[in-house]
Amino acid sequence: MKRVYTELENYIEGLSEEERVRFVTEFHDMFDSGTADYDDEHITALYVMKYARAYGFQFSRAYTDIFADMNNPESIKAVSIGCGTGIDYWGMSYAARVLGEAPESKLDYTGIDPVCWPYRITEAADMPEQDMVRYNEITSGIHDEKGSGHPDLFHEPADEIKSCTDFNEYLGYMENRPGEPLSDIYFFPHSTKEVCIHTVPNEVEDRSLYNTYQAMSRFAHIIHSRIKDKPVYVAFTYRQVPTDDGVCREQNESYDIRYGTYLRTCLIERGMNVELLQPMHCEQRYGHDLEICESPESNRGCYFTYDEFHSYVGAPDTPDKIWLFGRDDDDSFDSIFYGSKKICDRDRWNELTNVSDKIHNYPMDSTNGICYQVFKITRGNADNRELTDKNLVLDILEETMRGFTFWSGFSQDIYKFAKNMYMYPWTVHEKAIKLIADTTGYVPDSVRGLQEVFSIDNIFKGLIADGCIEQFEEADGRLRYGITPNGENCGLYDKDGRIMAKSFARRMIFANMICGRYVKFEGIKKQITMEDTRGILKL
């Protein structure tokens, strides 16, 4: 960080006052809007100085929770999606070697990011020799269909090296290699929204109309198909805790914990066990441990089910400085302004970065924004016939609907939206029929059975079960639907007797379909394959 600061200081010193104000203002505006240019080395330098220690602390605590649950193994493999400069690798190393007191740990870290960030952590001079750190490259040995390879060898020479720069490429790589084992850990360091956007299929022209939550359903599909006897850990870290404003800011917030909770739902629907890890207790110098927190009650309507699991690890009610949260005897998380790792004076920093009272570029050092989820995923109970059939159907649903987009960013009649979903399998019927055949062993003569999954009856039953709408009988004996306060919170409203769905409500409905919550599975495999009916050719 001293090198980063020196280069940043030299750059700002060479600017005129007008240029300095513009540079600092643009930095603030880009990160406030989530449109930062990570290719720019000077923007990245200011980013590193402002966020690196706070983010490193957060990442190290998430990794610490995982390592404690794993009983601090000697070798660990992690894939970081949206890794940026690789700050989470440093957090991983700190968690294993300092907090876990295992200095000889061997870490295998793969960082994936569409942007080639300046100041990557691998440029540091003190990289541990025993670690294997890669950026945008997946290395693979030879594995059979069961994922068996050479697990006893660490740093085994790779039989194959593939370029991989985003989540979509990684998922595609795993889908095309059925024998490739899962990583021990998947880490999303403040990147969930961005990396999900990169999973938009090639056939989707307008990314803004794609439901980025579909990425989590696709990821759950891979985890379910590959997981073995040992757990897999998935960590999501966020830039800010859920705010208590009760507003669904769909597709705008990159720190939204709905992505993690939705992955959990997808996995549970597939019969897997998913546990939110408790934060590890650290020996304290002055402060407090992190703890399990709840999203505000007013935000319940922003989840895919009103009663969705939405806990996260955060700071106590009274936030404090990160260096007060224990086990930091080497001052790694101290302010850049003092201590054994002081980098500059506060006054000098203000000279470089202060431009107005409304723009604050003070280095982050509070636990106020600490928010992360670490999920431990295990296979769960052995699949029975019903669960096996359910997962076959979920596989078909997820892949068939992968290119589905939303026709409008505005509200839409729920019946019209249901029709859009109903018709989509027909628009890709060749792909869907082949997928049904490959998955089940039967070739249907149409996709009618798959279309029926998206019937309006299934949607209404799901919304009633979730308490979003209610059915009542009018005086003339006709049945009508009314919208509950829960439904209003989720973006449903009445317009001249029609149920309208805002953007989030439509995404909520669709996501609940493809994860299995709004699907009736009894006999559905037979329905989709048209098994025992006319037109079936047994392979």
Side-chain angles (χ1 to χ4, degrees), residues 163-175:
S163 171
C164 182
T165 61
D166 62 44
F167 196 31
N168 183 51
E169 289 184 356
Y170 180 79
L171 295 177
Y173 172 83
M174 294 294 285
E175 288 164 346

